Amino acid sequence: MNTFGHLFRVTTFGESHGPAIGCVIDGCPPGLAIAPEEFAHDLARRATGTSRHTSQRHETDEVEILSGVYEGITTGTPIALLIRNTDARSKDYTRIAEQFRPGHADYTYWQKYGLRDPRGGGRSSARETTMRVAAGVIAKKWLMQRHGILVRGYVAQIGDVVPRNGGPRGHDWSAVESNPFFWPDAAQVPELETYMDALRKSGDSVGARLVAVADGVPPGWGEPIYGKLDGELAAAMMSINAVKGVEIGTGFASVSQKGSEHRDQMTRDGFQSNHAGGVLGGISSGQQIVVSVAFKPTSSLRLPVDGVDIHGDVAEIITTGRHDPCVGLRATPICEAMLALVLMDQALRHRAQCGDVGEVSPRIPGETKPDAKR
Amino acid sequence: MNTFGHLFRVTTFGESHGPAIGCVIDGCPPGLAIAPEEFAHDLARRATGTSRHTSQRHETDEVEILSGVYEGITTGTPIALLIRNTDARSKDYTRIAEQFRPGHADYTYWQKYGLRDPRGGGRSSARETTMRVAAGVIAKKWLMQRHGILVRGYVAQIGDVVPRNGGPRGHDWSAVESNPFFWPDAAQVPELETYMDALRKSGDSVGARLVAVADGVPPGWGEPIYGKLDGELAAAMMSINAVKGVEIGTGFASVSQKGSEHRDQMTRDGFQSNHAGGVLGGISSGQQIVVSVAFKPTSSLRLPVDGVDIHGDVAEIITTGRHDPCVGLRATPICEAMLALVLMDQALRHRAQCGDVGEVSPRIPGETKPDAKR
Amino acid sequence: MNTFGHLFRVTTFGESHGPAIGCVIDGCPPGLAIAPEEFAHDLARRATGTSRHTSQRHETDEVEILSGVYEGITTGTPIALLIRNTDARSKDYTRIAEQFRPGHADYTYWQKYGLRDPRGGGRSSARETTMRVAAGVIAKKWLMQRHGILVRGYVAQIGDVVPRNGGPRGHDWSAVESNPFFWPDAAQVPELETYMDALRKSGDSVGARLVAVADGVPPGWGEPIYGKLDGELAAAMMSINAVKGVEIGTGFASVSQKGSEHRDQMTRDGFQSNHAGGVLGGISSGQQIVVSVAFKPTSSLRLPVDGVDIHGDVAEIITTGRHDPCVGLRATPICEAMLALVLMDQALRHRAQCGDVGEVSPRIPGETKPDAKR
Amino acid sequence: MNTFGHLFRVTTFGESHGPAIGCVIDGCPPGLAIAPEEFAHDLARRATGTSRHTSQRHETDEVEILSGVYEGITTGTPIALLIRNTDARSKDYTRIAEQFRPGHADYTYWQKYGLRDPRGGGRSSARETTMRVAAGVIAKKWLMQRHGILVRGYVAQIGDVVPRNGGPRGHDWSAVESNPFFWPDAAQVPELETYMDALRKSGDSVGARLVAVADGVPPGWGEPIYGKLDGELAAAMMSINAVKGVEIGTGFASVSQKGSEHRDQMTRDGFQSNHAGGVLGGISSGQQIVVSVAFKPTSSLRLPVDGVDIHGDVAEIITTGRHDPCVGLRATPICEAMLALVLMDQALRHRAQCGDVGEVSPRIPGETKPDAKR
């Protein structure tokens, strides 16, 4: 199960400190222009070592396109992308291989497989998400070119800190991309710098909440009952390392709402609110898709803790490697990528069953239904 | 996409007011005893009309086993279950068919498919969840017989009300099953009765939060990277009607936590806390699996609201049918069923790749690794 | 694995002598008119008891549509079809349950599952193919309405007898449908009557070869590498009871051909031959799709044979039930159905990835490429 | 659809003359020892340029293991294999890109995708099968280690020539591996050398029939109804380039058989014949699995032929590249690999549903049924 998606299928492979990571993207529509350098922007947004607030591992993340693209155009055959690991450390993993770091997958991989690759977390490392971002670049491009869909994200909470301006306003997202925290309120950035510096010095970590949104999604995407758009978004986000919660629209706050408040009224001018987060009955409504994601504080701390090893002995666990004090800080492009991958897959599935957009949907109530052949 | 699961596959069909609903369960292990009457208990827990606090639709929900069971034993071939709809109303749906009820799937189904079955919500009705509960009965039984796993759930919040006792304690869940709210604190029940009566009279609705837990899950279940146990739980829960959020373990509260607090320390006596909710790196840790689910307030209200119809005209929408003031109240067996279905599927997938439980996992650190053939 | 197809998915259930057989068809495009009586024609072509040359089991095969169709139109939700078994015999299966009939699945089901439903072959009975035919009716209708595709079949060999006229000529298939053997050469029918009468009296059985063809399939359908059109046709046909071989186009005879003979020359008027059987590189070429299928002689004979039972004892096996002396005789609609199901699924998959027909393909070499958005 | 298998999943990528070909193998059981040099033997058996009777392309086919193996042992995470193309020719493909070679996928890829990679056939080249063979090496090893299964193949017909000795006898397959034709009758090899030399000089090509067999497969593998062992073998073989037919056991010859001849009698000593080819009802019977595969003569000939190009103009097509006069000659390891991949996948699926071998099957009739927990 290292494949994501049904028709636009992304299979990733590779370990954190193995020779390379990569992915195979199958089912991509033919005719899309794609060049190796187009991956750079989003990969840099996800990369470590770009500020003092993230892990200091330095990877060049150069993407080689091995297949599926001829003279710069996708051919419809599988697109293989490869990134060599260049800053993998060849240190001695003997001791680490026998310990279970608390809050990590060490123990569970050992239980499942009977052995594990201990180098930098192996397969369970966040390094795998690099390929999600790379695949997301292709999905984002197709969604924009074909449907005018814009996928974006920002950090909506770090520890207890929330944006004082409530998040990006309309199409002005400039603040988000101009600070290392993907923070929508520029005025708070100095304060966050101080906060993160103190946290890093303490050797501890903190959680974060991210919001990913998609504008321009036509109504009608999503497959009831078990392939719902929101259901697949939930799976997509929860599959990201360190995620512990997912909300669509108003999310958990809707528990306290009354129905008369939550139901988004429709008028001839469209919906009057968006508590639903753009999804009704598992199908896109044409409103903005809004997904909120909770990232736990990373468990890789310099603060020692007692644990056990594979021999059953008590061991003091110190995680000395290069780690992020707040893993959520680099997760914005990852959440965007997963949102884009879900939309891309649903777009293809929708036109498989219902024909291409324009045949059936989107429709304006009151206008003549197109004489669709389906 | 009306199929759930990869190896233990449940395909449901049927509309709310069509002739019948049903499901086909494929991939069930052979040799499991199953009788029609075993479905009754959980179906009754989910049923409408069992108290004044739920919809007054009265369905007998009698399950007919059409295939896959011979002389009371599963044969390994697909198990088809059928329930005839007996209280479907043959009223005039002409007006309803042209209106979009706010907060419902009417508009999105119309956009996706170009037409829809308007009778009682058609396919998007919560009636579909009946078959999830039926399939869940089989999964629960196998999980208990084969692995001693116990799957349970309760309501953890209604509107702003939370259990004063914090939830069921240990194995004493008696309160939960002795009131119509699946509420773990018996002392609060009279207060909830009053609350729900007032709500029902007001014609409004309210949301709810549910918690589903599984005890006894062995370590090692779950498939990284895109088939993670928590990822599939998120999809499973989000696929239930009205769900807007899913958490594993500490969930969104982990955003405010420090890593030193969140990471669950291991000792020779086991884990010292369970912020992870029983899942690390997408694989079960052997701790209790804890999933929290947010249900929105139903949008089917007696309170009128202006909306639009398929002609683009403004229309006053009044939902006059039989509806639940709090859909979450009947959702406990549904959440349990989805949890059981995910576990069942992962159990089969785990033994496919890694061999049967006992070959590799669970293991006690320090004990000799079994000489597993895999 | 009782589901066939990726996007147009047919899940069948039911045992030969259980209460009912049925199927769930998921992924059907919305907007297709379908009525219960439309299934009758093909089901009658497949039915037993329609001539003295087939099994004398009499089933009414009345199809009930349980879901997915509203006011006679498919809604895009799963279509469940149900047929009650009416001529299932409640005889004593005790002895049969302990014996392994040679050439049947009795032994292998027992090995796989540890138990089996012995009533009339249970799940391994050809009765399951009834639902394939029913699902095929829907696929055939959509393929004809949407693409003008015509799917047909005939019997091309019974024992050593082959049609003297070489098969149906062009669009004159009248002979095929006017005799109980689906035989394309009307002049041979009396001879075949005599042959089959003698065979039936002898208590023995004989094999058959069938050909299924599809006219009007546009070029471009089929997914390389592992979802090739011919690969899926091979799987589809081999999944029918009693099938032991599948050929596309010239098939095994191409082994003896030279390349200069086999390669189908293209001219401005199109292909000059069809050794390929309408498939090149796994993708339809626009020529007639031609599939040839070998059916073994049924092993259910009145002629006794020594075998073993589950106790390891030697037992004389006599199959006294109602059986076909040549199972291939009723298989024409089954082969057609499987061909239609494969095409239907590939049609949806093709437009998922490459857009709807007309956007990219079919194209006439030399004509301007449509400015396709994909 | 560049993925083969359900649980043991092989995704291949790469074009004939692109930078590399590769595959990702997902779902492999952990704990299997695998080294890069283990791929060499089977890759050499499939390689071009090893005798004058095959294409003179010279590829080193060095396999790099990119992931999924730690210290020589599979970890259960995806295994990525990479082979760089070293003898890809950077010639001018402009003219070829506009022509449709008869009998090739040029025309159908153009129709499907609107464009194609013309370099050496691109994705439709037999070079893709290299990765099938590589993946098959892993499957073969696991099948042998875990179950003692031996997978082998030979050429059973070249043009009209058949082995005079009828094929390999019992376990003496030495002749097959000691000549460039995988021919079981050593005495005929000089005659075949002459035959092939003449064919090559004539510029023409010829077809071949191959047989792949598996010994030691336990009874019980295979999933009725649509995941039958023989159905998946048919799909697997038909997915190989140039294959036009597949038979199981007696295959098309069973059409002319009587049931009393075809049905394989069981005695206390086992089956007395194997017309079924080791599969009954889609499930393995414990006998030898026998698959026969028809390869067409390659259409890449030096003999010119008139064709059309994308402009609709008539063009003389001459295929000047390096090609095989009989593609079937190199296909033995490919057929073996596909047989091994199907068996491997079915093995995992079987133990998912029915528990590990030894729990239920294989069983000896008359012996006490194991008290299986399933």
Side-chain angles (χ1 to χ4, degrees):
Chain A
M1 280 296 286
N2 290 274
T3 297
F4 186 82
H6 295 260
L7 296 183
F8 189 83
R9 286 180 297 281
V10 180
T11 302
T12 66
F13 62 84
E15 276 77 39
S16 180
H17 290 215
I21 55 172
C23 71
V24 184
I25 301 162
D26 201 2
C28 186
L32 185 72
I34 202 82
E37 54 271 22
E38 294 184 63
F39 300 101
H41 177 66
D42 270 358
L43 289 181
R45 294 170 74 219
R46 195 215 73 94
T48 51
T50 54
S51 84
R52 69 183 182 273
H53 305 295
T54 62
S55 159
Q56 293 306 302
R57 179 172 175 174
H58 291 274
E59 286 288 349
T60 51
D61 285 351
E62 268 182 46
V63 175
E64 184 183 11
I65 301 177
L66 293 174
S67 66
V69 177
Y70 179 63
E71 297 185 340
I73 309 291
T74 61
T75 61
T77 61
I79 303 165
L81 305 178
L82 192 73
I83 296 177
R84 293 278 169 183
N85 292 324
T86 56
D87 193 19
R89 295 195 173 166
S90 55
K91 68 175 179 181
D92 182 6
Y93 285 97
T94 314
R95 195 178 54 91
I96 289 169
E98 300 201 334
Q99 290 186 342
F100 304 122
R101 292 171 297 163
H104 279 82
D106 301 347
Y107 177 69
T108 54
Y109 269 66
W110 180 76
Q111 284 285 5
K112 181 172 193 70
Y113 299 117
L115 78 166
R116 65 188 176 90
D117 180 342
R119 301 168 298 170
R123 182 69 182 149
S124 70
S125 163
R127 181 130 186 83
E128 185 270 343
T129 60
T130 311
M131 299 321 299
R132 306 184 186 213
V133 172
V137 166
I138 296 177
K140 280 179 176 179
K141 186 169 185 183
W142 187 86
L143 289 168
M144 172 55 78
Q145 284 201 355
R146 174 77 175 167
H147 294 286
I149 293 170
L150 184 60
V151 175
R152 291 176 294 190
Y154 65 96
V155 174
Q157 188 178 341
I158 297 176
D160 287 321
V161 187
V162 295
R164 276 193 290 270
N165 68 355
R169 296 291 168 205
H171 282 265
D172 180 12
W173 284 57
S174 53
V176 172
E177 295 294 327
S178 59
N179 69 75
F181 310 112
F182 295 87
W183 196 258
D185 189 339
Q188 278 172 294
V189 171
E191 170 188 333
L192 282 171
E193 299 265 6
T194 308
Y195 178 92
M196 290 302 299
D197 286 342
L199 179 68
R200 192 174 64 253
K201 276 164 202 158
S202 76
D204 213 331
S205 66
V206 77
R209 188 170 74 85
L210 271 70
V211 173
V213 303
D215 290 282
V217 177
W221 290 7
E223 285 193 65
I225 300 293
Y226 301 111
K228 285 179 173 171
L229 180 55
D230 41 359
E232 300 206 341
L233 286 171
M237 299 303 168
M238 197 67 92
S239 78
I240 302 171
N241 306 42
V243 170
K244 301 304 287 183
V246 184
E247 297 177 311
I248 306 294
T250 302
F252 278 90
S254 63
V255 171
S256 307
Q257 286 182 313
K258 291 281 160 54
S260 52
E261 177 188 3
H262 182 90
R263 61 179 176 180
D264 302 309
Q265 196 184 344
M266 286 184 76
T267 71
R268 298 188 65 159
D269 301 324
F271 290 96
Q272 298 304 298
S273 55
N274 189 14
H275 293 296
V279 187
L280 285 169
I283 304 171
S284 64
S285 66
Q287 289 199 280
Q288 188 182 56
I289 308 288
V290 184
V291 191
S292 172
V293 187
F295 284 80
K296 72 174 184 183
T298 179
S299 304
S300 301
L301 310 179
R302 281 188 289 110
L303 305 176
V305 63
D306 273 355
V308 290
D309 62 19
I310 63 171
H311 308 296
D313 295 327
V314 173
E316 184 180 67
I317 316 281
I318 308 178
T319 310
T320 53
R322 303 158 297 185
H323 299 286
D324 291 272
C326 178
V327 285
L329 291 196
R330 296 193 290 116
T332 297
I334 306 169
C335 290
E336 291 170 2
M338 296 315 291
L339 174 48
L341 293 178
V342 168
L343 289 173
M344 178 91 204
D345 193 48
Q346 290 280 8
L348 301 186
R349 286 151 68 180
H350 178 69
R351 77 172 172 185
Q353 185 180 14
C354 297
D356 230 311
V357 168
E359 282 206 20
V360 176
S361 107
R363 291 190 286 159
I364 310 299
E367 298 199 356
T368 308
K369 178 181 165 185
D371 181 22
K373 279 191 178 177
R374 271 165 288 168
Chain B
M1 280 295 285
N2 290 274
T3 298
F4 186 82
H6 294 260
L7 296 183
F8 189 84
R9 285 180 299 280
V10 180
T11 302
T12 65
F13 62 83
E15 276 77 39
S16 179
H17 290 214
I21 55 172
C23 71
V24 184
I25 301 162
D26 201 2
C28 185
L32 185 72
I34 201 83
E37 54 272 21
E38 294 184 63
F39 300 101
H41 177 66
D42 270 358
L43 289 181
R45 293 170 75 218
R46 195 215 73 95
T48 50
T50 53
S51 83
R52 68 181 183 274
H53 305 296
T54 62
S55 159
Q56 292 306 302
R57 179 173 175 172
H58 290 275
E59 287 287 350
T60 51
D61 286 351
E62 267 182 46
V63 175
E64 184 183 12
I65 301 176
L66 293 175
S67 66
V69 177
Y70 180 64
E71 297 185 339
I73 308 291
T74 61
T75 61
T77 62
I79 303 166
L81 305 178
L82 191 74
I83 295 177
R84 294 277 169 182
N85 291 325
T86 55
D87 193 19
R89 295 193 174 170
S90 55
K91 69 174 179 181
D92 181 7
Y93 285 98
T94 313
R95 196 178 55 91
I96 289 170
E98 300 200 335
Q99 290 186 343
F100 304 122
R101 291 171 297 163
H104 278 83
D106 301 347
Y107 177 69
T108 53
Y109 269 67
W110 180 75
Q111 285 285 5
K112 183 173 192 70
Y113 298 118
L115 79 166
R116 65 187 175 88
D117 181 342
R119 300 168 299 171
R123 182 68 180 149
S124 70
S125 163
R127 180 128 185 85
E128 185 270 342
T129 59
T130 311
M131 300 320 301
R132 306 185 188 213
V133 172
V137 166
I138 296 177
K140 280 178 175 178
K141 186 168 185 183
W142 186 87
L143 289 167
M144 172 54 78
Q145 283 202 354
R146 175 76 173 164
H147 294 286
I149 294 171
L150 183 60
V151 175
R152 290 177 294 188
Y154 64 96
V155 175
Q157 188 179 341
I158 297 176
D160 286 323
V161 187
V162 295
R164 275 194 291 269
N165 67 356
R169 296 291 169 205
H171 282 265
D172 180 12
W173 284 56
S174 53
V176 172
E177 295 294 327
S178 58
N179 68 75
F181 310 112
F182 294 87
W183 197 256
D185 189 340
Q188 278 172 293
V189 171
E191 170 188 336
L192 282 171
E193 299 265 6
T194 307
Y195 177 92
M196 289 302 300
D197 286 341
L199 179 69
R200 192 173 65 254
K201 278 164 199 156
S202 76
D204 214 331
S205 67
V206 77
R209 189 170 74 83
L210 271 70
V211 173
V213 303
D215 290 281
V217 177
W221 289 8
E223 283 193 65
I225 299 292
Y226 300 111
K228 284 178 175 171
L229 181 55
D230 40 1
E232 300 208 340
L233 286 172
M237 298 303 168
M238 198 66 93
S239 79
I240 303 172
N241 305 42
V243 170
K244 301 304 289 181
V246 183
E247 297 177 312
I248 306 293
T250 302
F252 279 89
S254 63
V255 171
S256 307
Q257 285 181 316
K258 290 282 161 54
S260 52
E261 177 189 1
H262 182 89
R263 60 178 176 181
D264 302 310
Q265 196 184 343
M266 286 184 75
T267 70
R268 298 190 65 159
D269 301 325
F271 290 96
Q272 299 303 298
S273 55
N274 189 14
H275 293 295
V279 187
L280 285 169
I283 303 172
S284 63
S285 66
Q287 289 198 278
Q288 187 182 57
I289 308 288
V290 183
V291 192
S292 170
V293 188
F295 285 80
K296 71 174 185 183
T298 179
S299 303
S300 301
L301 309 180
R302 281 188 289 110
L303 304 176
V305 65
D306 273 355
V308 290
D309 62 20
I310 63 171
H311 308 296
D313 297 326
V314 172
E316 184 181 67
I317 316 279
I318 309 178
T319 309
T320 53
R322 303 159 295 187
H323 299 287
D324 290 271
C326 179
V327 286
L329 291 196
R330 296 194 288 117
T332 297
I334 306 170
C335 291
E336 291 170 1
M338 295 314 293
L339 174 48
L341 292 178
V342 168
L343 290 173
M344 178 91 203
D345 193 47
Q346 289 280 8
L348 301 186
R349 286 151 69 181
H350 178 68
R351 78 173 171 185
Q353 185 179 14
C354 297
D356 231 311
V357 168
E359 283 207 19
V360 176
S361 104
R363 291 191 285 159
I364 310 299
E367 297 199 356
T368 307
K369 178 182 166 184
D371 181 22
K373 277 191 178 178
R374 270 165 289 168
Chain C
M1 278 296 284
N2 291 272
T3 297
F4 185 82
H6 294 260
L7 296 183
F8 189 84
R9 286 180 297 281
V10 180
T11 303
T12 66
F13 61 84
E15 274 78 40
S16 179
H17 290 217
I21 55 173
C23 71
V24 184
I25 301 162
D26 201 2
C28 185
L32 185 72
I34 200 80
E37 53 271 21
E38 293 184 64
F39 299 101
H41 178 66
D42 270 359
L43 289 181
R45 294 170 74 218
R46 195 216 72 94
T48 50
T50 53
S51 84
R52 68 182 183 273
H53 306 296
T54 61
S55 159
Q56 293 305 302
R57 179 173 176 173
H58 291 275
E59 285 289 349
T60 51
D61 286 351
E62 267 181 48
V63 175
E64 184 183 11
I65 300 176
L66 293 175
S67 66
V69 177
Y70 179 64
E71 297 186 341
I73 309 290
T74 61
T75 61
T77 61
I79 303 165
L81 305 178
L82 191 73
I83 295 177
R84 293 278 168 182
N85 291 325
T86 56
D87 193 19
R89 296 195 172 167
S90 55
K91 69 174 180 183
D92 181 6
Y93 285 97
T94 313
R95 195 177 54 92
I96 290 170
E98 300 200 334
Q99 290 186 343
F100 305 122
R101 292 170 299 163
H104 279 82
D106 301 345
Y107 177 69
T108 54
Y109 269 67
W110 179 75
Q111 284 286 3
K112 183 173 193 68
Y113 298 118
L115 78 167
R116 65 187 175 91
D117 181 342
R119 301 168 299 170
R123 181 71 182 147
S124 71
S125 163
R127 180 128 186 85
E128 185 271 343
T129 60
T130 311
M131 299 320 300
R132 306 184 186 214
V133 171
V137 166
I138 296 177
K140 279 178 175 178
K141 186 168 185 183
W142 186 86
L143 289 167
M144 172 53 78
Q145 284 202 353
R146 174 78 174 164
H147 295 287
I149 294 170
L150 184 60
V151 175
R152 291 176 295 189
Y154 65 95
V155 174
Q157 188 179 341
I158 297 176
D160 286 324
V161 187
V162 295
R164 275 194 291 269
N165 67 356
R169 295 291 171 205
H171 282 265
D172 180 13
W173 283 57
S174 52
V176 172
E177 295 295 327
S178 59
N179 68 76
F181 309 113
F182 295 87
W183 196 256
D185 189 340
Q188 278 172 293
V189 171
E191 169 188 336
L192 281 171
E193 298 265 7
T194 309
Y195 178 91
M196 290 301 300
D197 285 342
L199 179 69
R200 194 174 62 254
K201 276 165 201 157
S202 77
D204 213 333
S205 66
V206 76
R209 188 170 75 83
L210 271 70
V211 173
V213 303
D215 289 282
V217 177
W221 289 7
E223 284 193 66
I225 300 292
Y226 301 111
K228 284 179 173 170
L229 180 55
D230 40 1
E232 300 207 341
L233 286 171
M237 298 303 168
M238 198 66 93
S239 78
I240 302 172
N241 306 41
V243 170
K244 301 304 287 182
V246 183
E247 296 177 312
I248 306 293
T250 302
F252 278 89
S254 63
V255 170
S256 307
Q257 286 183 314
K258 291 282 161 55
S260 52
E261 177 189 3
H262 181 90
R263 62 177 174 181
D264 302 310
Q265 196 184 343
M266 284 184 76
T267 71
R268 298 189 64 158
D269 302 324
F271 290 96
Q272 299 303 297
S273 55
N274 189 15
H275 292 296
V279 187
L280 286 169
I283 303 172
S284 64
S285 67
Q287 289 199 279
Q288 187 181 59
I289 308 288
V290 185
V291 192
S292 171
V293 187
F295 285 79
K296 72 175 185 184
T298 178
S299 304
S300 301
L301 310 178
R302 280 187 290 109
L303 305 175
V305 64
D306 273 355
V308 289
D309 62 20
I310 63 171
H311 308 294
D313 295 328
V314 173
E316 184 180 67
I317 316 280
I318 308 178
T319 310
T320 53
R322 304 158 298 184
H323 299 287
D324 290 273
C326 178
V327 285
L329 291 196
R330 295 193 290 116
T332 297
I334 306 170
C335 290
E336 292 170 3
M338 295 315 291
L339 174 48
L341 292 179
V342 168
L343 288 173
M344 177 91 204
D345 193 47
Q346 289 280 8
L348 301 186
R349 285 151 68 180
H350 178 68
R351 77 173 172 185
Q353 186 180 13
C354 296
D356 230 312
V357 168
E359 282 206 21
V360 175
S361 110
R363 292 190 286 158
I364 310 300
E367 297 198 356
T368 307
K369 177 182 165 184
D371 180 21
K373 278 191 178 176
R374 271 163 289 168
Chain D
M1 278 296 284
N2 291 274
T3 297
F4 187 81
H6 295 259
L7 295 184
F8 189 84
R9 286 180 298 281
V10 180
T11 302
T12 66
F13 61 85
E15 275 77 39
S16 179
H17 290 215
I21 56 172
C23 70
V24 184
I25 302 162
D26 201 3
C28 185
L32 184 73
I34 202 82
E37 54 271 20
E38 294 184 63
F39 300 100
H41 178 65
D42 270 358
L43 289 180
R45 293 170 74 218
R46 194 216 74 96
T48 51
T50 53
S51 84
R52 68 182 183 274
H53 305 296
T54 62
S55 159
Q56 292 306 300
R57 179 173 176 172
H58 291 275
E59 286 288 349
T60 50
D61 286 349
E62 268 181 46
V63 175
E64 183 184 11
I65 301 176
L66 293 175
S67 66
V69 177
Y70 179 64
E71 297 185 339
I73 309 289
T74 61
T75 61
T77 61
I79 303 165
L81 306 178
L82 192 73
I83 295 177
R84 294 277 168 184
N85 291 325
T86 56
D87 194 19
R89 294 192 175 171
S90 54
K91 70 174 177 182
D92 181 6
Y93 285 97
T94 313
R95 196 177 56 89
I96 290 170
E98 300 200 334
Q99 290 186 343
F100 304 122
R101 293 171 297 163
H104 278 82
D106 301 346
Y107 177 69
T108 53
Y109 270 66
W110 180 76
Q111 284 286 5
K112 182 174 193 69
Y113 299 118
L115 78 167
R116 65 188 175 88
D117 181 342
R119 301 168 299 171
R123 181 70 181 149
S124 70
S125 163
R127 180 129 186 83
E128 184 270 344
T129 60
T130 311
M131 298 320 301
R132 306 184 187 214
V133 172
V137 166
I138 296 178
K140 280 178 175 179
K141 186 168 185 184
W142 187 87
L143 289 167
M144 173 53 79
Q145 284 202 353
R146 174 78 174 164
H147 294 286
I149 294 170
L150 183 61
V151 174
R152 290 176 294 188
Y154 65 96
V155 174
Q157 188 179 342
I158 297 175
D160 287 322
V161 186
V162 296
R164 277 194 290 269
N165 67 356
R169 295 291 169 206
H171 282 264
D172 180 12
W173 283 58
S174 54
V176 173
E177 296 294 327
S178 59
N179 68 75
F181 310 112
F182 294 87
W183 198 257
D185 189 339
Q188 278 172 292
V189 170
E191 169 188 335
L192 281 171
E193 298 265 5
T194 308
Y195 178 92
M196 289 301 301
D197 286 341
L199 179 70
R200 193 173 63 254
K201 276 165 199 155
S202 76
D204 214 331
S205 66
V206 76
R209 189 170 74 84
L210 271 70
V211 173
V213 304
D215 290 282
V217 177
W221 290 7
E223 286 193 64
I225 299 293
Y226 300 111
K228 285 178 173 170
L229 180 55
D230 40 1
E232 301 208 339
L233 286 171
M237 298 304 169
M238 198 66 92
S239 79
I240 302 172
N241 306 42
V243 170
K244 301 304 289 181
V246 183
E247 297 177 312
I248 306 292
T250 302
F252 278 89
S254 62
V255 171
S256 308
Q257 286 181 315
K258 291 281 160 53
S260 52
E261 177 189 2
H262 182 89
R263 59 178 176 181
D264 302 310
Q265 196 183 343
M266 285 184 76
T267 70
R268 298 190 64 157
D269 301 325
F271 291 96
Q272 298 305 297
S273 56
N274 189 15
H275 293 295
V279 187
L280 286 169
I283 304 171
S284 63
S285 67
Q287 288 198 280
Q288 188 182 58
I289 308 286
V290 184
V291 192
S292 170
V293 187
F295 285 80
K296 71 175 185 183
T298 178
S299 304
S300 301
L301 310 178
R302 282 187 290 107
L303 304 176
V305 65
D306 273 355
V308 289
D309 61 20
I310 62 171
H311 308 295
D313 295 328
V314 172
E316 185 181 64
I317 316 280
I318 309 177
T319 309
T320 53
R322 304 158 296 186
H323 299 286
D324 290 271
C326 179
V327 285
L329 291 195
R330 297 194 288 116
T332 297
I334 306 170
C335 290
E336 291 170 2
M338 296 314 292
L339 173 49
L341 292 179
V342 168
L343 289 173
M344 177 90 204
D345 193 47
Q346 290 280 8
L348 301 187
R349 286 151 69 181
H350 178 68
R351 78 172 170 186
Q353 185 179 13
C354 297
D356 231 312
V357 168
E359 282 207 19
V360 176
S361 104
R363 291 191 284 158
I364 310 300
E367 297 200 355
T368 307
K369 177 181 166 186
D371 180 22
K373 278 193 180 177
R374 268 164 292 171

